């Protein structure tokens, strides 16, 4: 049953709001109950979230019991134009009109896919995000970006489109595996490093297995993301703070997809990207050595190592050039100027990127063995 208590929105004036705390879903119930009877609700989820999270959502939000459920396959492959086509057709067959509301229940795949489908169906219907992964809660479901993949290129087609609201219910994370949890923690570390030293300290000391202890930190991270986005919704300037670790991270993610090694999750690639960017921050004189060491030590201890050869560095640089953020062949990095502060658009040369990748390779546990065998 829903508890009709006080709901604390983290963004009282901002738009769109992110609701969190123990009564967030009670607030969703109130909102939906107040909709006109002509509004049809749809819930979009994947195989996992429909099995693991839908029963809990319906228990807290009875207004959704009459909703139409739509399920897609779990995984990135659902961010696909054919899946969109099936969803648009389904909405049309169910006579969804401009009053319809789409509730996206899932991780970043579902909020990206559902946001894009809702933003384009009949030139836009309302949608609500209910993220169920940590990556969704602290990143994907906040910020109004929705996209699908095309021709093997991630997020090639999409739109800026705001949900009516995002609702964080951290108990959904109970069923999330450790690797997926750490995937989202990388973005939380990033939020602390670029914006809030206290948050960085709390996140690095947090007991990751204890959801109750983690919940307020998840909420703080979500607040940081929505604050930064509110300052720059269209990503012209300050929002680039959130790119910290992503310039090299995206290239490594793409590189891992091409290689035969195990794949890298986005957060795992960003963690390596942050190690490299932190080193570049020191190399360019923006950050002192002690702070660099602290960041490096934490990230290297938390994430599995990813090995690549010196000969792969050329390909990684090439992938960075393909990234839309590096048009005209220039590398522009978001780098740390301290713990909790960063500078955007710092020019970095290809040689410096190679040095940073080399530095990461030297930190790997078997680095000295490899160097001996090459000698
Ligand atoms: N729009 C943005 O600003 C933005 C930001 C970050 C990431 N993204 C996108 O988000 C996607 C990645 O998001 P993700 O990491 O959440 O991936 P995901 O949505 O694929 O979820 C990861 C896995 O966890 C499962 N899952 C979801 N909730 C669960 C739960 N409560 N318990 C157990 N399993 C659960 C899913 O079924 C899936 O198998 C990428 O496509 C990325 O491009 C978008
Ligand atoms: Zn990211």
């Amino acid at each position: 049953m829903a508890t009709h208590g006080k709901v604390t929105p983290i963004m009282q004036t901002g738009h769109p709001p992110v609701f969190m705390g123990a009564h967030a879903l009670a607030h969703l119930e109130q909102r939906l109950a107040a909709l006109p009877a002509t509004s049809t609700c749809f819930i979009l989820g994947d195989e996992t979230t429909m099995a693991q999270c839908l029963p809990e959502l319906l228990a807290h939000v009875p207004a959704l019991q009459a909703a139409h459920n739509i399920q897609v396959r779990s995984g990135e492959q659902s961010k696909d134009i054919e899946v969109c086509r099936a969803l648009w057709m389904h909405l049309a067959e169910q006579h969804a009109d401009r009053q319809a509301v789409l509730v996206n229940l899932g991780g970043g795949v579902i909020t990206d896919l559902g946001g894009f489908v809702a933003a384009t169906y009949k030139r836009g219907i309302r949608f609500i995000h209910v993220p169920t992964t940590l990556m969704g809660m602290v990143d994907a479901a906040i910020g109004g970006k929705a996209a699908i993949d095309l021709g093997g290129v991630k997020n090639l087609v999409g739109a800026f489109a705001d949900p009516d609201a995002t609702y964080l219910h951290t108990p959904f994370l109970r069923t999330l595996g450790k690797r997926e949890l750490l995937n989202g923690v990388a973005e939380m570390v990033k939020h602390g490093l670029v914006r809030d030293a206290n948050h960085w300290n709390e996140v690095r000391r947090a007991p990751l297995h204890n959801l109750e202890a983690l919940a307020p930190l998840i909420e703080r991270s979500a607040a940081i993301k929505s604050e930064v986005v509110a300052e720059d919704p269209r990503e012209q300037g300050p929002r680039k703070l959130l790119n910290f670790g992503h310039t090299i991270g995206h290239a490594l993610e793409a590189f891992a997809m091409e290689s035969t090694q195990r794949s890298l999750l986005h957060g795992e690639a960003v963690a390596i990207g942050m190690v490299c960017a932190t080193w570049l921050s020191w190399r360019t004189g923006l950050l002192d050595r002690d702070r660099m060491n602290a960041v490096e030590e934490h990230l290297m201890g938390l994430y599995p190592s990813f090995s690549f050869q010196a000969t792969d560095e050329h390909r990684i640089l090439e992938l960075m050039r393909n990234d839309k953020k590096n048009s005209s062949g220039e590398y522009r990095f978001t780098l740390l100027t301290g713990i909790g502060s960063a500078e955007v658009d710092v020019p970095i040369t290809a040689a410096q990127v190679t040095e940073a990748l080399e530095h990461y390779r030297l930190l790997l546990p078997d680095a000295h063995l490899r160097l001996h065998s090459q000698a």
Side-chain angles (χ1 to χ4, degrees), residues 45-50 52-53 72-77 79 105-113 129-149 154-155 159 169-177 180 183-184 187 190 225 229 239 246 250 253 265-267:
D46 67 25
E47 298 150 6
T48 316
T49 63
M50 286 313 220
Q52 308 273 17
C53 308
V72 297
R73 288 172 61 196
S74 298
E76 185 74 22
Q77 75 265 25
K79 280 177 51 172
L105 177 69
V109 164
I110 292 300
T111 53
D112 267 15
L113 171 70
H129 286 330
V130 184
T132 62
T133 62
L134 186 54
M135 179 62 78
M137 290 181 190
V138 300
D139 198 351
I142 300 170
K145 287 209 268 180
I148 58 164
D149 308 333
K154 264 192 75 138
N155 301 328
H169 179 68
T170 52
F172 282 138
L173 300 176
R174 280 190 299 247
T175 51
L176 200 69
E180 291 293 344
N183 187 37
E187 303 289 355
K190 176 191 80 179
K225 167 116 196 218
V229 169
R239 190 167 176 168
H246 282 61
H250 278 147
E253 206 179 347
L265 293 180
H266 174 74

Side-chain angles (χ1 to χ4, degrees), residues 317 320-332 348-350:
L317 277 166
M320 278 176 55
R321 265 192 290 275
N322 294 344
D323 194 315
K324 60 188 180 304
K325 294 186 184 84
N326 294 297
S327 53
S328 79
E330 270 183 345
Y331 299 113
R332 299 261 156 185
I348 291 292
T349 64

